[in-house]
Amino acid sequence: MIRSMYLAAILVVLAASGSHAHGQEATERFIPIGQSPGQSGKTTLIGSIQSVDAQGRQLTISTAAGASKISVTERTKIWIDRSASKQTNSLGGVADLQAGRRVEVKWDAKDKSRAEWIKVEAAP
Amino acid sequence: MGELPPANASHPVNSAIGLETLQVDSACSVDQVGEGWMVSCVTLSGPQSWSRALAPLLLLTGCQTASAPEPTPDPKAELIAKGRRLFFEETFSGNGRTCGTCHPAANNLTLDPAFIARLPPTDPLFVAEFTPALAKNFENPRLMREFALIQENLDGFADLENRFVMRGVPHVLAQPTSIASPAGPRTGWSGDGAPGDGSLRSFAVGAVIQHFTKTLARVPGVDFRLPTEAELDAMEAFQLSLGRQNELKLPLPLKGTVARRGQALFLDNKKGKCNFCHENAGANANFGGGSIGNANFNTGVENLPDLPARLTGEKVPRDDGFRQPGDGTFNTPPLVEAADTPPFFHNNAVATIEAAVGFYDGDTFNNSPAGKLLAGATGGPLELDATQIQAIASFLRVLNALENMRSSLVALELAASGRVDEKRRNDELALAQADTHDAAKVLEGASLHPQAVAHLKGAGRAIHRAQRGWYSRAQRLQGALDLLKKARAELVEGA
């Protein structure tokens, strides 16, 4: 009996919490590019958008280490970093992902080819 | 029954409540010599030997000691001290709040309505009441003052008028034991309190953005500054230093009849069933296959009828817990520190530990996902009668009192050690005073151990006199230590 409970509980807990640490999205939006604690440069790519494949919903990011491709999914959050102009960061969309703009991309812990969130520098 | 440590031996598990500090007093004597004090110890062994505890105390009172060691730099202690200063003093160029505004040292690092009522109207906790830019959609002053509820935008800041939750302030004690899980750290009431990597270290960044801002625009560099990497390191170290550092190992050899019965019910997997999710009265779950660490559960608290905040008619949106959108689960807090840190549950639903235990006997819990899981695995719903609820709550009160006494003893010994400056010494005496007071209060609240309460009140008076001046401070601290140990001996066998 206890064993079945143990197994069931494990399933409930894992289903509820996922298999990786979960950073809070609500306040993440306000953090400028490159300053996400414990993440920036570790589980994120920081660079500029080299090209955009709108049909394939794929970005090529140019970083100091080379170019990387990453997919933008329906679940990817896109935020516009306007901190340089002393304005509040805002929600963005795929249309804001334009070649040449500086970005930080957090990859999905379960699939590094997908973006969990993207912070893109506001257009000048 | 669990084992108490043998005399003059360390007991790493139950050192969580400081049982090892009980062993030394009979081996030593303290005598007045001129203007100072002479300590004589027959045996000087064990982790908290009087030789270390009282040698600096002799210095405090002017007695010469040839063997007092020079304090050596301790990088970890320095980091913790830096974190302490940041936690209680740093506003991060925001609206005036510090971490200590909601986690005050004087109130077990949490908030309750009684503490809030004693604050001056200019306290930064009330910033929404006197800062026009924060007057709307930042806090609800009525719910803050009446129920100690804080406004949070855990599901995003896009609709401030309608999308928010009202939560209590969890204490931040014993975090080395309470936030680790196989799925990563679990911070805050729903386990997702921190941005970035979700760690305790990152928590302060989210807190500054949510609670420290000067305006609702929340622009870094304008409305606040974000903590630096070094500051995050220091604040994490400080928070991890707070309170209990180890899990208990139950059962304890309790003397009180009702508390002892409460412990048995707590550990009974067919009756109280508490130990499944609060193993050893902590924050970690164990369903028979070993600890699975800190976990989230949907216990149905949001479904309780007559939730106090909602009775006011104020807008209190449903709190969906973990993630965005939420899955209805909330994090499991440790119970050792529960009795003196009310109100209880993420939404401050009930004000007493008895009501918190009673919640698990009700329909709301038994019909919740967690309640059904428990019922399915143990053969039926959780049913407790009033005497059993009282017994479990009494057990938790005694655990809390023991933890307070441990904390008070450590603080008194540090204050007497001469290793800290005057401000820190005063802080430690204030902590010892507060914890001693709390120990008496949680016992007295259920008419438990009246003799221990008398000792604790005596200890409190001795600490108060030691706080007032240097004259006879050593004697007064010694008196307080003795009384605290007598009080503890009233609660546990072999102490």
Side-chain angles (χ1 to χ4, degrees):
Chain A
M1 186 68 82
I2 296 301
R3 182 171 175 74
S4 66
M5 179 180 180
Y6 163 67
L7 292 172
I10 287 286
L11 290 173
V12 168
V13 170
L14 291 182
S17 59
S19 59
H20 62 284
H22 186 78
Q24 185 192 93
E25 284 182 5
T27 48
E28 183 68 50
R29 163 187 147 185
F30 296 95
I31 302 172
I33 289 172
Q35 295 183 42
S36 182
Q39 282 201 138
S40 289
K42 296 175 183 170
T43 58
T44 68
L45 291 171
I46 301 174
S48 58
I49 300 175
Q50 187 173 306
S51 62
V52 181
D53 174 1
Q55 279 200 322
R57 294 180 69 91
Q58 197 169 58
L59 298 179
T60 302
I61 312 293
S62 175
T63 72
S68 297
K69 289 185 186 298
I70 195 146
S71 298
V72 181
T73 73
E74 296 290 327
R75 300 183 63 168
T76 303
K77 298 284 194 313
I78 299 171
W79 298 306
I80 301 176
D81 179 359
R82 305 196 298 172
S83 58
S85 58
K86 308 288 186 192
Q87 292 182 286
T88 190
N89 293 354
S90 58
L91 291 173
V94 177
D96 296 301
L97 303 175
Q98 298 161 349
R101 288 170 74 171
R102 188 164 177 261
V103 289
E104 178 171 19
V105 179
K106 164 76 170 67
W107 63 71
D108 191 308
K110 294 174 185 168
D111 181 354
K112 286 190 175 183
S113 70
R114 296 185 307 197
E116 183 178 316
W117 54 250
I118 298 173
K119 293 175 185 173
V120 56
E121 196 173 49
Chain B
M1 298 292 284
E3 291 181 5
L4 276 176
N8 295 322
S10 172
H11 193 289
V13 175
N14 281 338
S15 69
I17 57 169
L19 291 179
E20 81 280 17
T21 61
L22 297 173
Q23 67 212 23
V24 292
D25 55 329
S26 60
C28 301
S29 62
V30 181
D31 303 296
Q32 191 164 13
V33 179
E35 293 180 358
W37 296 86
M38 177 69 76
V39 60
S40 307
C41 294
V42 177
T43 306
L44 297 178
S45 61
Q48 302 279 351
S49 71
W50 274 150
S51 59
R52 277 184 290 161
L54 290 185
L57 196 148
L58 298 174
L59 291 175
L60 266 182
T61 54
C63 182
Q64 298 209 347
T65 57
S67 60
E70 283 290 318
T72 53
D74 179 351
K76 187 179 177 188
E78 288 170 7
L79 189 66
I80 291 170
K82 179 184 173 186
R84 179 194 307 275
R85 185 192 63 73
L86 289 166
F87 193 90
F88 291 117
E89 298 175 22
E90 181 58 56
T91 63
F92 294 100
S93 305
N95 59 31
R97 288 176 166 180
T98 68
C99 302
T101 300
C102 287
H103 300 283
N107 200 54
N108 291 317
L109 304 158
T110 185
L111 289 177
D112 59 64
F115 179 81
I116 290 172
R118 294 195 296 271
L119 295 173
T122 54
D123 190 278
L125 180 65
F126 307 127
V127 68
E129 296 180 14
F130 53 75
T131 303
L134 300 173
K136 279 192 71 180
N137 301 327
F138 183 67
E139 298 284 8
N140 181 322
R142 179 181 178 189
L143 296 181
M144 173 184 283
R145 288 183 178 275
E146 200 168 344
F147 302 112
L149 290 169
I150 301 293
Q151 191 157 321
E152 308 245 14
N153 300 91
L154 293 168
D155 280 344
F157 294 80
D159 182 2
L160 295 177
E161 190 76 39
N162 298 300
R163 292 183 73 188
F164 60 89
V165 295
M166 301 303 303
R167 289 190 175 177
V169 177
H171 67 73
V172 289
L173 297 163
Q175 289 188 105
T177 72
S178 65
I179 59 177
S181 85
R186 292 282 175 256
T187 62
W189 275 118
S190 46
D192 57 351
D197 59 3
S199 66
L200 176 64
R201 181 179 177 277
S202 299
F203 192 91
V205 173
V208 166
I209 293 168
Q210 174 76 57
H211 303 297
F212 288 43
T213 190
K214 288 176 183 168
T215 76
L216 299 183
R218 293 186 163 89
V219 180
V222 176
D223 293 312
F224 49 80
R225 72 170 180 84
L226 293 175
T228 66
E229 297 288 317
E231 288 172 332
L232 292 177
D233 288 340
M235 286 192 286
E236 179 192 41
F238 169 62
Q239 290 180 76
L240 288 173
S241 77
L242 293 168
R244 191 167 47 90
Q245 300 291 298
N246 300 300
E247 294 279 24
L248 298 185
K249 185 168 175 57
L250 301 179
L252 295 177
L254 299 179
K255 286 185 174 177
T257 307
V258 177
R260 196 166 57 238
R261 176 59 184 151
Q263 178 173 241
L265 288 165
F266 187 98
L267 297 172
D268 186 337
N269 289 340
K270 294 287 185 186
K271 193 62 186 173
K273 311 179 189 181
C274 314
N275 208 51
F276 283 125
C277 296
H278 293 281
E279 186 178 28
N280 291 313
N284 299 315
N286 184 344
F287 296 92
S291 176
I292 59 170
N294 190 234
N296 271 29
F297 295 102
N298 183 348
T299 57
V301 170
E302 273 296 304
N303 297 330
L304 274 169
D306 300 319
L307 278 171
R310 293 201 176 111
L311 291 176
T312 62
E314 297 284 328
K315 183 182 287 183
V316 183
R318 186 175 179 80
D319 191 336
D320 61 6
F322 184 68
R323 282 190 173 172
Q324 178 186 341
D327 63 5
T329 70
F330 291 88
N331 198 234
T332 310
L335 296 186
V336 174
E337 295 79 9
D340 68 354
T341 54
F344 299 93
F345 303 117
H346 67 271
N347 50 9
N348 287 351
V350 297
T352 66
I353 191 73
E354 284 73 18
V357 174
F359 162 76
Y360 295 94
D361 176 52
D363 290 343
T364 302
F365 172 72
N366 281 311
N367 290 325
S368 72
K372 288 177 178 173
L373 171 73
L374 195 63
T378 59
L382 209 160
E383 291 181 3
L384 296 168
D385 281 313
T387 46
Q388 296 168 320
I389 291 169
Q390 182 71 38
I392 293 173
S394 295
F395 163 59
L396 296 177
R397 284 177 179 273
V398 167
L399 282 189
N400 201 148
L402 286 167
E403 168 58 14
N404 285 333
M405 290 181 221
R406 181 205 64 78
S407 173
S408 189
L409 281 165
V410 170
L412 283 178
E413 287 175 353
L414 188 57
S417 70
R419 288 183 281 116
V420 292
D421 62 22
E422 184 177 354
K423 180 182 182 308
R424 179 70 190 279
R425 186 188 65 212
N426 291 337
D427 287 348
E428 294 298 329
L429 287 176
L431 175 62
Q433 176 75 291
D435 275 332
T436 302
H437 174 265
D438 283 351
K441 189 176 172 186
V442 294
L443 294 175
E444 208 167 25
S447 302
L448 296 164
H449 296 290
Q451 188 58 53
V453 171
H455 291 320
L456 288 165
K457 288 184 174 178
R461 287 191 292 272
I463 297 168
H464 179 65
R465 285 193 287 270
Q467 285 174 303
R468 281 168 38 193
W470 61 269
Y471 180 73
S472 295
R473 179 179 288 148
Q475 187 179 26
R476 288 162 179 166
L477 291 178
Q478 180 61 57
L481 287 163
D482 289 345
L483 286 167
L484 276 167
K485 284 179 285 181
K486 282 184 181 175
R488 196 161 50 179
E490 293 286 330
L491 271 55
V492 284
E493 299 282 357

